[in-house]
Amino acid sequence: MALAEGVRGRRVVLTALALSLALAAALSAFIFRSPGGTVPHARYYRAVYVLQRMDPSAALEPANIPAQVIRTDDTESLLHHPDKLFVLRELAADLSSFAGVMPDAPLFEAYARRALGEPREAAGLLSRYVFETPYQARHYELLCEMLLESADYASLLLICGEWRERDPVCLPRRAVYAWAARYGLGRYAEAAQAIQNAISCIGWEGKVYAARALAADGREDAAKALLGEVRRDFPDQQEAALRLWSRLELQPLRL
């Protein structure tokens, strides 16, 4: 009996020791063997730093990168790696591992996923981020771009509504995204009416967007009447209106 108890005791001690060593190894890899030496969360900062040099949009986000991270060989090797997709996948994986640890990790991972050609995954990350963080108009606009690229028009319309609740001021880009969402859903008459309601902030362009939706709805005469109003009321914008109309005829959902 005493022997059995002793064996069990040693097993408990050995198990505890193994767990302790594993934890120490993990912490060592996370901090001391990470790029930048003893900088906590160094892999996160490295990922952000490299991403911001690869993606001008991500570079607009504020980030305070420790100098130790910038000067490492690992950082330089990623910056000069010939396979950019490989680098982006590495950055996305590193950023994903810091979800729940670093508040902006989902935001930067969304940029990385978008750069990888994964707008749906990027939109999922960013939608949770904007819900949990203080309001930033540029993040809602970025989310709308990702949803439009994903052809997720139903979610795009919902996000435009949520954006309007958080900022009720008439915003031209939001009005255009809402138009695109309704147009993509085949709700052409509604798209035309909604963007005409935003004429006060979007100006003559709203009439051109409305005309495109009316034409898609089979109401050619109404569309021509709106274009006539643009020529009459905004004579100095005729060439610009024609270019916008031509573009919308070819690619109405390429904003």
Side-chain angles (χ1 to χ4, degrees):
M1 179 66 72
L3 179 61
E5 290 294 333
V7 170
R8 281 197 293 271
R10 284 193 295 274
R11 285 176 179 171
V12 170
V13 170
L14 289 173
T15 300
L17 179 60
L19 288 173
S20 177
L21 290 172
L23 179 59
L27 288 173
S28 176
F30 187 64
I31 297 178
F32 299 108
R33 285 202 291 267
S34 60
T38 59
V39 177
H41 314 316
R43 294 189 72 85
Y44 168 80
Y45 289 116
R46 183 190 70 175
V48 172
Y49 178 77
V50 174
L51 179 64
Q52 289 190 320
R53 272 133 195 84
M54 296 179 68
D55 185 345
S57 298
L60 297 176
E61 304 294 342
N64 187 18
I65 310 298
Q68 302 97 307
V69 173
I70 297 173
R71 293 194 295 262
T72 63
D73 292 339
D74 284 346
T75 301
E76 285 297 314
S77 66
L78 285 176
L79 284 171
H80 298 98
H81 198 288
D83 189 343
K84 299 306 180 185
L85 288 179
F86 167 81
V87 174
L88 286 168
R89 284 192 289 268
E90 288 290 303
L91 301 182
D94 282 345
L95 292 164
S96 179
S97 70
F98 283 94
V101 178
M102 303 299 283
D104 289 338
L107 171 63
F108 287 109
E109 186 186 352
Y111 278 110
R113 295 293 174 189
R114 187 190 190 194
L116 281 166
E118 302 172 3
R120 189 175 297 276
E121 291 78 2
L125 288 163
L126 191 55
S127 64
R128 292 188 291 274
Y129 179 82
V130 299
F131 181 76
E132 296 170 353
T133 56
Y135 170 72
Q136 292 282 348
R138 73 175 184 276
H139 292 157
Y140 270 95
E141 183 169 347
L142 177 63
L143 177 54
C144 286
E145 290 176 8
M146 292 176 177
L147 290 169
L148 186 60
E149 291 169 8
S150 305
D152 189 350
Y153 305 121
S155 295
L156 176 56
L157 189 57
L158 287 173
I159 289 298
C160 286
E162 180 184 309
W163 187 0
R164 186 171 56 252
E165 289 177 3
R166 297 190 74 172
D167 186 355
V169 175
C170 184
L171 301 174
R173 288 299 293 173
R174 185 177 64 209
V176 173
Y177 284 121
W179 173 89
R182 293 183 173 94
Y183 192 102
L185 292 168
R187 293 156 58 173
Y188 304 121
E190 185 181 333
Q193 185 59 55
I195 203 161
Q196 286 190 88
N197 293 340
I199 289 294
S200 62
C201 74
I202 197 172
W204 62 267
E205 292 184 2
K207 291 181 179 290
V208 179
Y209 280 104
R212 180 63 255 161
L214 290 172
D217 199 36
R219 299 162 63 184
E220 295 287 346
D221 290 342
K224 291 177 181 177
L226 275 180
L227 294 175
E229 290 179 14
V230 174
R231 288 193 296 270
R232 182 194 67 208
D233 299 336
F234 305 93
D236 58 331
Q237 299 294 341
Q238 286 192 44
E239 290 187 11
L242 181 59
R243 287 195 299 270
L244 177 58
W245 174 259
S246 299
R247 179 170 63 80
L248 292 176
E249 274 193 307
L250 294 172
Q251 296 177 312
L253 295 175
R254 187 77 175 270
L255 304 182

